[in-house]
Amino acid sequence: TVFEGAEPEAIPVEIIGAWKNAWGPKQDIILAKLGGRAARTNVAGGMSGSPVYVDGKLIGAIALRISVFSPDTICGITPIEHMLEINELDSSKPAAPKTPQTAAAPSDLTVPASFLGSSPRLVAIETPLTFSGFHQQTLDAFAPVFAQMGIQPVMGGASGSVSGPAPAPGWEKALAPGDAISGMLVSGDLNITGLGTVTYNDGRRVLGFGHSFFNLGPVSMPMAKGEVLMVLSSQFQPNKFANATEIAGALRQDRHSGIMGVLGERAETIPVTLEVETPKLRQTFSFETFIHPKWTPLLMTLALYNTLQGINDAAADEATYSFDGKVDLTGMAPLAVRQMAVTGDAPMPAPMALALWWGDRFSRLFQNPESAPSIKHVTAKLKMVGERRASVIEGAWLDQSEVAPGAALTGKIALRPWRGERIVKQFRLDLPATLAAGEHRVLISDGDTLNRPRAMASMVNRNSLELSQVVALMNQERTNDHVYVSLIEARPTVFAGDKQLGGLPPSMMNAIQAGRASTPVAATGETVSVSTLIESGEMVSGSVALRFKVK
């Protein structure tokens, strides 16, 4: 295994014996005791996959440890026969993958249960997930997400040669047994890599780790060489500190008994360009992310949150963030979204709220049951100003409460900014000539109020939506930097796919419900028609409804 640099070193191993069925039915583990430099460092994170030879024959890979507090450096070796069973073409999905369930809010990092067990037991050596270009605040904020997956994040670095998913020249001779190997979740100006050791290389296929990375099954992830800076000796949490260097191929399988990659192949990734602008700073970050339904949303969340942490020192208490994102998709219209976030007294800080909102856009794309998205490129622009730009709809009134059909309804809206005097804006709503006589309502609201019914309808219909409809629904969402003036009619609205069918007569409503008896129909008892929007330049919240009469 590699202790420093890129050259592996031989260390003595004392074979204790085979522990029958220790890791499952017919899954024997070879117990061994490490000597040499490993006796001082203990069984460190990043040693996973280190090949073990007896009389010049490969017997397996160091993959487990039995105790981090024992003075004996005892490890478990995955027999090589189990690793050779990994099939490049296996498309089955493991039952218990390590995937982010939710991007939790900041909380204390808990100690992994494996450290607290009362009796010795074999546990997989933690794969250190190395973050380069990330702030410590980001790792602290997302510590609960990593802890629930049994992943230990560490600060690290990456070589400037890691600039994309294409294999670097010389990949043919890369990743010999004992070399450091990395799976790259993010590469470029930001880097997230999982470090282990190569067990076996037949000139095309590479096996490593001796246990799963995330147990994802078939994957397409850039596979890189590594350079070890040092091995931290510790009875509690020994780890290798390393940099990813050059791409050598692509990981294709992530299985219970190890990872398998193919030299010279290129993994498909998502190129991302993130522009940041503040009163004193303008920067552009470029990076590529691993494609996976559960991991990609978290990686997008992490990248945006980390960027916000990098500029947050300029305005920790008073800041407004304006965000525009565009996702270019193959074969369909792009997804274009906009959102604002403002520092305040909310339970969740504005940077976290904005980052989670951005990650949720990708969750909705990848959770589509019809087809997986093919993302060509992601561009995002983030602008920060050092003041809190937020307004609340304090009230509204009409110039006249009784009008004729087809007339213009006019009035005023009172906005209360975070600081300063009340702002009054005028509005005009052109009423349809067919509007029935009687009492009606006009709604003055923020974008979230209008998005709520459509979001509930999307949840009801989520299993029947096509990918293009999911994109269209997100493109139709109202932004939170406008005031909307809407006419409310007491006629039902049906949400079908990405379409909104408003003002339906009862007979048509009954026909739709009868025709979709086997499919849920999302409907509301009112029709809301947005006719006027007023740009505020601030994050707007609140709503008020006014009554008026048509003669």
Side-chain angles (χ1 to χ4, degrees), residues 116-192:
L116 306 177
S118 58
S119 60
R121 56 194 178 106
L122 281 172
V123 294
I125 301 171
E126 291 82 9
T127 300
L129 203 60
T130 304
F131 289 74
S132 168
F134 284 81
H135 300 278
Q136 185 62 47
Q137 299 97 311
T138 303
L139 303 190
D140 293 342
F142 288 86
V145 180
F146 301 121
Q148 74 179 7
M149 294 186 285
I151 295 171
Q152 176 60 42
V154 296
M155 300 294 289
S159 167
S161 58
V162 182
S163 57
W171 58 263
E172 301 89 345
K173 299 180 181 180
L175 300 179
D179 285 353
I181 181 174
S182 295
M184 303 204 70
L185 282 77
V186 179
S187 62
D189 291 332
L190 302 176
N191 288 270
I192 304 178

Side-chain angles (χ1 to χ4, degrees), residues 13-93:
V13 178
E14 178 186 344
I15 302 298
I16 298 172
W19 201 353
K20 296 292 184 180
N21 298 328
W23 214 16
K26 295 187 178 181
Q27 293 279 316
D28 299 346
I29 292 298
I30 303 168
L31 288 181
K33 181 178 181 179
L34 302 183
R37 293 184 69 175
R40 180 173 61 84
T41 63
N42 211 321
V43 186
M47 283 188 181
S48 298
S50 300
V52 180
Y53 301 88
V54 173
D55 296 331
K57 296 181 179 180
L58 177 63
I59 67 167
I62 292 176
L64 307 106
R65 57 183 172 194
I66 196 167
S67 173
V68 292
F69 294 112
S70 169
D72 298 320
T73 311
I74 305 298
C75 68
I77 299 171
T78 299
I80 188 60
E81 61 180 318
H82 298 326
M83 299 181 68
L84 290 171
E85 291 171 356
I86 299 175
N87 183 352
E88 180 181 349
L89 301 178
D90 187 355
S91 60
S92 62
K93 299 293 182 67

Side-chain angles (χ1 to χ4, degrees), residues 286-332:
S286 299
F287 52 92
E288 311 257 347
T289 68
F290 166 52
I291 302 174
H292 187 271
K294 298 292 181 65
W295 272 98
T296 300
L298 176 62
L299 298 177
M300 294 294 182
T301 301
L302 281 167
L304 181 56
Y305 182 80
N306 185 72
T307 304
L308 291 168
Q309 291 304 303
I311 63 176
N312 205 36
D313 291 340
D317 297 324
E318 300 285 334
T320 299
Y321 306 96
S322 300
F323 182 82
D324 289 275
K326 182 182 179 183
V327 181
D328 289 315
L329 298 154
T330 302
M332 64 185 67

Side-chain angles (χ1 to χ4, degrees), residues 366-388:
F366 280 99
Q367 287 173 3
N368 171 258
E370 295 292 328
S371 58
S374 175
I375 301 176
K376 295 187 293 184
H377 192 257
V378 173
T379 54
K381 295 182 179 180
L382 175 67
K383 185 176 181 179
M384 189 276 287
V385 294
E387 58 182 279
R388 193 185 303 189

Side-chain angles (χ1 to χ4, degrees), residues 141-265:
F142 288 86
V145 180
F146 301 121
Q148 74 179 7
M149 294 186 285
I151 295 171
Q152 176 60 42
V154 296
M155 300 294 289
S159 167
S161 58
V162 182
S163 57
W171 58 263
E172 301 89 345
K173 299 180 181 180
L175 300 179
D179 285 353
I181 181 174
S182 295
M184 303 204 70
L185 282 77
V186 179
S187 62
D189 291 332
L190 302 176
N191 288 270
I192 304 178
T193 60
L195 179 73
T197 303
V198 177
T199 306
Y200 173 83
N201 183 331
D202 65 5
R204 178 178 179 273
R205 293 196 318 158
V206 175
L207 299 175
F209 282 29
H211 57 71
S212 67
F213 188 4
F214 301 122
N215 201 32
L216 299 178
V219 294
S220 180
M221 181 188 296
M223 175 177 69
K225 299 161 58 177
E227 177 188 28
V228 178
L229 301 178
M230 63 168 292
V231 181
L232 175 66
S233 302
S234 169
Q235 289 295 314
F236 174 64
Q237 207 168 62
N239 262 317
K240 287 186 178 182
F241 287 85
N243 296 328
T245 54
E246 297 176 332
I247 300 295
L251 293 180
R252 295 305 188 197
Q253 293 288 344
D254 175 13
R255 296 287 171 181
H256 172 72
S257 57
I259 58 171
M260 190 279 294
V262 180
L263 290 169
E265 292 195 354

